[in-house]
Amino acid sequence: MKKSIFTPKVCYYYKMLPTDLLTSHFRLDEPHKKALKRLSIFTVAELLLHLPQRYEDVSDIQAVGSLIKGQDAIVFGQLGGLNTRKSWKSKVPISEGWVEDGTARMKIMWFNQPYIAKMLTDGMYVKLVGKVAGTEGKLYLTNPEVEKLDSLPIDRHDSIFNNTANLDDTIYPVYRETKGVTSKWFFHTVQKCFAAGILDVMADPIPEAILHRYNLPVLKTALQWIHTPKKADHAQSARKRFAFEEVFYIQTAKAKERAAVTVSSSYLIKTEPEHIDAFTKRFPFPLTKAQEKSIRDILHDLAGKHPMSRLLEGDVGSGKTAVAATTAYAVATSRPPEGLAAKLQYGNLQVAYMAPTEILAKQHFESFIQYFKHLPIQIGLVTGSGCFKFPSKSNPDKPTPISKAQLLKWVKNGEIPILIGTHALIYKSVEFKHLAHVIIDEQHRFGTNQRRALAKKDTRMPHLLSMTATPIPRTLALTVYGDLDISLLDEMPKGRKPIITKVFAPSQMEEVYAHVQTELDAGRQAYVICPRIDEPDPTKENALQLKSVKQEALRLKKLVFKNARIDILHSKMTPKEKDTVMEKFLSHQIDILVATSVVEVGVNVPNATNIIIEGAERFGLAQLHQLRGRVVRGTHQAYCFAVTSKDTSGSTGKTMERLKALTEAKNGFELAEYDLTLRGSGELYGMKQWGLTDLGMEAIKNIKMVEAARTEAQRLIAEDQELKNHPAIANKIATLSKNLHME
Ligand code: ADP
Ligand code: MG
């Protein structure tokens, strides 16, 4: 028998450690090195944690050489000799070829499937399932089903039939491959590491007591079970452990984050209900029940000893700004304890309100002016392109531009209690006297340290209210927002006309344009959203089907809306350019704004009642929902036209079905759940950057697993907040926190 090149050889000169580079134990050629780099596998530990994707059961597989007539065969092998001809008698097309698996070669015949040979190529690795026909000596596989494989399972000669791979039984692992490195290679290299005694020197970061409580295997056992399972149960159990581990680190990071906030002190803000009512009664609308409840939640937190960490989650248009304003009012009308005790002329407590863009910061500033104009409370606006203060001395109804230096002086001495702005708010130069409350709009991560930094020398940590319109499925919220309490605005203000959403194919655009034209004639405005900014590189495949902002704007002007004023907005423009365009759109100097999804976040132009979304299938449903949220602001009926990039037929049927959910779903949460089942969490909520494996991605959808990990994480942090006794866990979550921008 030929000796396999894969047979583990004792070729190490010193003890193998998990942190060792693979190159110090194995000879790797360039393609191998490149491939491993692509998979981010450099060390022995990283190799061992490249877990199998699935398992195959060899007991189902037959050697081609052992097949007999009439048998239902499952064989793995390489294809060859493919061609198609017509049978001379019946003129039925016959495709034929052969499969070889190292034990023998057998003929394959497909009758009446002329396309099949075209789909396959000689040399391809396949799994075939079919019946053995013919006569002894002239056997063939008839009409087998074909599954293409990247490579053959482990190694035909050595492992499956000759059993040299230490698999005494029939399950073998299949690893994720990439060009240059095969599943087989992983299998054999892992086995060599086992043979070198690596399992005895791998320390388990997870305390045994925790694993014990959930009946999960310790690291050593789990690695053995996952790479060389003797039973399917073992593999399952090991996978559960690794999944738990990933979720546990995230939850520990969150628990640690939370604990750091909880031990800090904050400004205690006590408010009388009548005081708050007086403020909210002046709104030009009654609050929704959900808004009232959220305000209560927040005021309750503000009156507590420790800083609030709360997320206000609500669909576009659900009225988050009014909630934010009410809490800002509660804070800005409260006094710091020092002021009370000493009866000094201290300023009131302060609020910082941070928006993701200048346009939004300005809109919030304007909303706040409406809400606060009857009060002697000053409001500042600080953005990269200028500063304002309300009220102006000369005109008490209007804001006035002031120098940044002057504004910051008044913020520093406490005269201005409410400061609204963009990221400029967190610059070093911005100092508050008594910063008690930070409100953040659509800024997904804002960590403890950033929060502390904002308060500068103040030993008290500000309360945090984070707001988002991104609906997130409940199962994921525990992970993504594990360090926050959540308030939901799950109710829309009364009297909103629901938006009319329709899905169209490119061939139906005349109808869409005709509708938009009548809307323009009636004095309304429209958005057209395109998936890309510029015309793509025509040499790239599929490139031409997606519309671009620049070309579409020209085309619409030239061919469709000849009399309309059309302009563009996209992320490559400077903040100032974007602002100018947005102002013009807001003041109706532009009729149609052709844009990328940059308009997604929060911009409010009530007169824009139509939105055409080109290449709609390219967007997530929740994102589409947010996009159409741009046009539900006013009192006019709003319309959303979701247009696919290709005409609907055949394979795009699924696309239509997915988009149909958009026309039916009641709210963003429903769509988010739908997205999750269709696309998985990796694509969504930026979870790629969490460094989760596929296993972890699955695990965070498992509410029981997440809750268990959360309980254990909280217990661990309660016992050992700095993780002094668990340096390995501390290490893991330090990296994680960095990726999540929690630091
Ligand atoms: P979002 O939650 O998307 O930030 P906004 O706070 O911008 O929503 O509110 C959207 C619009 O709804 C604003 O014009 C606001 O004045 C209005 N609004 C807020 N609350 C109510 C309510 N309870 N009833 C009627 N309109 C409301
Ligand atoms: Mg908003």
Side-chain angles (χ1 to χ4, degrees), residues 724-737:
K724 290 208 175 71
N725 302 320
H726 302 279
I729 297 178
N731 244 333
K732 290 269 186 199
I733 71 167
T735 323
L736 196 70
S737 299

Side-chain angles (χ1 to χ4, degrees), residues 516-517 519-528 556-557 561-568 581-594 605 607-612 631:
V516 172
Q517 186 61 57
E519 290 278 313
L520 294 180
D521 293 344
R524 304 283 87 75
Q525 289 160 279
Y527 296 98
V528 176
L556 289 174
K557 178 73 199 163
F561 303 109
K562 292 178 189 151
N563 300 318
R565 293 161 299 175
I566 300 179
D567 214 328
I568 61 171
V581 171
M582 243 11 252
E583 303 286 4
K584 277 166 81 182
F585 192 52
L586 191 61
S587 57
H588 204 163
Q589 297 169 58
I590 295 173
D591 299 306
I592 299 177
L593 186 62
V594 185
V605 181
N607 192 48
T609 52
N610 288 262
I611 186 164
I612 300 176
V631 297

Side-chain angles (χ1 to χ4, degrees), residues 285-288 291 315-322 371 493 496 633:
F285 43 75
L287 290 173
T288 62
Q291 280 172 319
D315 248 348
V316 172
S318 58
K320 294 185 287 293
T321 319
Y371 295 146
R496 292 267 167 83
R633 298 301 177 118

